């Protein structure tokens, strides 16, 4: 049985077809955590809080509870399905500055487990 690939804890470089998926805020102020890494290294655009930007993809996590994050995660999963040529490395979105736990966020990605080009953190 083949073991599924998981996202490394620290991503410092990407292959040309890889996308760094990070938690953001709706205003796109990428000032800390993985958002800052995305801005500094992977093409995240200051002022853009949602979607593909450079070699990164923003999922807003700072606007409310878990239910406010769900639609953005669902949109991301659909986007990944439509872009099979890309591999999406999902960080532990929402589990840093936003203050959520893995147990709160990981269920949002249940549908992502069947999408071969989405790579999730080990605990998800």
């Amino acid at each position: 049985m083949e073991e599924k690939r998981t996202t490394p804890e620290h991503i410092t470089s990407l292959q040309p077809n890889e996308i760094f998926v990070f938690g953001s805020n709706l205003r796109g102020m990428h000032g800390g955590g993985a958002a800052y890494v995305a801005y500094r290294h992977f093409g995240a655009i200051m002022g853009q809080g949602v979607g593909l930007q450079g070699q990164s993809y923003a999922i807003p996590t700072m606007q409310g509870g878990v239910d406010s994050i769900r639609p953005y995660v669902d949109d991301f999963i659909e986007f990944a399905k439509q872009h099979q040529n890309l591999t999406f490395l999902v960080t532990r979105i929402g589990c840093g500055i936003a203050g959520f736990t893995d147990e709160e966020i990981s269920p949002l990605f249940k549908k992502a487990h069947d999408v071969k080009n989405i790579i999730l953190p080990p605990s998800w």
Side-chain angles (χ1 to χ4, degrees), residues 13-83:
S13 65
L14 295 170
Q15 296 298 314
N17 68 326
E18 291 180 331
I19 305 297
F20 181 84
V21 181
F22 66 99
S24 67
N25 58 64
L26 286 169
R27 290 182 33 233
M29 303 316 304
H30 309 310
Y36 186 70
V37 173
Y39 172 68
R40 292 281 298 159
H41 301 287
F42 304 125
I45 300 166
M46 199 61 77
Q48 183 178 335
V50 183
L52 187 67
Q53 39 197 298
Q55 254 186 297
S56 64
Y57 187 103
I59 298 176
T61 60
M62 304 284 288
Q63 67 279 354
V66 172
D67 286 336
S68 73
I69 301 169
R70 184 181 315 278
Y72 295 104
V73 172
D74 291 344
D75 288 349
F76 159 70
I77 293 169
E78 286 306 311
F79 183 87
K81 286 179 183 178
Q82 294 170 14
H83 294 85

